[in-house]
Amino acid sequence: MYESSTQSSNDSERTAFRKAEKKYKLYYETDTKKSSSKRQKQPKPVDLSDVLDFKQVLNGEIPSGIFKLQSDFDFPVFCIETHPGFYFIPEALSIEEQCHWIRESLTSFPQPPNRTNHHAIYGHIYDLFIAAQKKRVLTQAEALDLDFASLQSSGIETRWHFSGDNTTVQKEDSAIPASALLRKLRWSTLGLQFDWSKRNYNVCLPHNKIPESLCQLAKRMAAPSMPTGEDFHPEAAIVNYFAAGDMLGGHLDDMEADWSKPIVSISLGCKAIFLLGGKSRDDLPVAMFLRSGDMVLMAGQARECFHGVPRIFTDKENAEITPLALQFSNQEDIGFLDYIRSSRINVNIRQVF
Ligand code: OGA
Ligand code: MN
C-alpha cells in the first residue's frame, strides 16, 4: 500500500501519476552562491493553477466536472463526475474539533497497544509527546535493572523508556532525544493493527477498539457515501504524520474486505496536495488542496483509484493554519503549536471486514 515514491520498480517514471507527483513534490532551489549558503533553503516555486480548490467551490465557484451532492446531510458535499464514489466535505470540522483531534493524534493515538513506525525498533514506547516537551531522551533499560525485570515478567515488552533530559543523559551514546523521535513519527495505527510487513490486518495483535468519539464522527461523516440501509462499522484507523518534504506515494488501499464501505479521511494542520488518479497509474490524476478540517470519503469505484499526497506546505503563505495557531496560542499549548506549524496529520478510518 505505502510504496515509497523512490521504489518505482517496474512502474515506469513516465506514468501520468508519477509525473504529477514530480510536478508537485517539494524541491529546493539549488543555490550556487557560497555567500547565501547560510540562508534558509528556498522551495522551488510550483505551478498550482491546475489544483482544484474546494474552498472556492464551497464559495460558489463550481468548475465543470464538479457537482454538489443533493442530500439533506449537515454539510455541503462535492463530487467529481469522473470519480464516482469520491466525496469531498470542505470545512467539515470546526477549529475546536481540529485542535481536539490534533491533541489526540499526538498524545493518545501513539500510545501502546497502538503501534507506530517506532515500534519495529524500540518496541512499545509510552508518552512520546510529553517526553518531547520535557526534553527527555529514550534510553535502553539495563537487563539487570529491577524495573525492567518486573516489566518483563508482567509481559510488557518495554526495553526502551524515556528518562532525564537532553543535558543530563547526553553522555549515553544510545540516548535518543524524544523530540527527534516525535519529528520522525510517521504513522500510528488504531483499532485492528495493520501489519506493514505482511500488508494486512493482524487480528492477533493486541489492540484497543478505536476511540468511541472517533467512531461516532466517522459514522456520521460517512453517511453521504453509504449504500442505503447499511451501516459503517469503523474497526481500524491509520494516522499519518507528515513533515515538510514528506510525501505519501501513489497507492491503493485494498486490504479491506468490503469496498462499498468508505475510507473516511480527516486532514489536520498544514495544507496539502492530494492526487486522485484512476484505476491505472497511466490515468491523469486530479490534483486538489486538502486543508485542515476537510474530510474526504472514498467508496465504491473510488476505492480502486490510485491516490497519494505529493506535497505539504509549511510556509506561512500556503500552510493556512493561522486559525489553528490562534487556537493553540496559550502557553500550555506551545508544543502542539510548534508541531502543527510545520506538519500535517491525516486520520483515515476503515471498516476492515
Ligand atoms: C492513506 C491515505 C491520504 C492523506 O493513508 O491511505 O491515502 O490525505 N492518506 O494523507
Ligand atoms: Mn490511501
Side-chain angles (χ1 to χ4, degrees), residues 111-113 115 119 122-126 141 145-161 206:
Q111 291 289 69
R115 294 187 170 211
H119 183 269
Y122 306 109
H124 283 319
I125 54 177
Y126 289 81
D145 187 319
L146 252 187
D147 269 359
F148 175 47
S150 60
L151 277 172
Q152 257 193 332
S153 61
S154 65
I156 301 170
E157 35 164 321
T158 299
R159 282 192 305 134
W160 292 82
H161 65 124

Side-chain angles (χ1 to χ4, degrees), residues 27-29 31 36-44:
Y27 292 104
Y28 289 104
E29 297 284 12
D31 210 335
S36 55
S37 60
K38 280 187 205 124
R39 283 209 312 257
Q40 276 210 320
K41 293 185 286 183
Q42 289 299 319
K44 270 196 178 153

Side-chain angles (χ1 to χ4, degrees), residues 53-56 88 98 267-272 289-295 319-320:
D53 188 342
F54 279 100
K55 191 173 181 175
Q56 286 173 13
F88 198 110
Q98 293 168 43
S267 286
L268 301 164
C270 292
K271 189 171 76 180
F289 290 119
L290 281 177
R291 293 182 175 83
S292 197
D294 290 342
M295 286 181 72
E320 297 191 36

Side-chain angles (χ1 to χ4, degrees), residues 2 240 242 248 251 253 274 290 307 309 344 346 348 350:
Y2 290 76
N240 295 303
F242 297 80
L248 178 59
H251 66 279
D253 299 290
F274 181 75
L290 281 177
H307 60 277
V309 178
R344 169 177 188 262
N346 165 250
N348 59 84
R350 300 132 186 259

Side-chain angles (χ1 to χ4, degrees), residues 144-312:
L144 295 173
D145 187 319
L146 252 187
D147 269 359
F148 175 47
S150 60
L151 277 172
Q152 257 193 332
S153 61
S154 65
I156 301 170
E157 35 164 321
T158 299
R159 282 192 305 134
W160 292 82
H161 65 124
F162 290 114
S163 62
D165 62 44
N166 279 344
T167 47
T168 56
V169 203
Q170 235 165 23
K171 281 189 212 98
E172 284 185 46
D173 292 345
S174 60
I176 303 136
S179 57
L181 292 168
L182 181 63
R183 261 200 320 276
K184 287 181 184 157
L185 181 65
R186 202 63 174 81
W187 55 261
S188 62
T189 42
L190 318 184
L192 288 176
Q193 296 293 293
F194 194 78
D195 182 335
W196 300 90
S197 60
K198 299 196 183 81
R199 290 184 71 255
N200 62 19
Y201 292 92
N202 184 345
V203 294
C204 301
L205 290 176
H207 62 274
N208 292 336
K209 278 201 163 147
I210 81 167
E212 188 52 29
S213 53
L214 185 64
C215 187
Q216 289 309 324
L217 173 68
K219 276 176 173 257
R220 189 157 53 84
M221 301 312 279
S225 67
M226 285 301 291
T228 22
E230 288 196 39
D231 261 346
F232 180 52
H233 298 291
E235 290 165 313
I238 295 178
V239 187
N240 295 303
Y241 306 84
F242 297 80
D246 286 348
M247 62 182 289
L248 178 59
H251 66 279
L252 293 176
D253 299 290
D254 51 6
M255 290 320 298
E256 295 79 19
D258 180 357
W259 290 9
S260 74
K261 299 290 156 59
I263 288 184
V264 177
S265 178
I266 306 173
S267 286
L268 301 164
C270 292
K271 189 171 76 180
I273 293 181
F274 181 75
L275 292 177
L276 176 65
K279 294 181 188 178
S280 151
R281 287 183 192 264
D282 291 323
D283 299 331
L284 190 70
V286 180
M288 64 192 85
F289 290 119
L290 281 177
R291 293 182 175 83
S292 197
D294 290 342
M295 286 181 72
V296 156
L297 313 174
M298 292 178 82
Q301 290 196 42
R303 287 289 308 252
E304 298 171 55
C305 293
F306 281 95
H307 60 277
V309 178
R311 177 75 181 260
I312 77 156

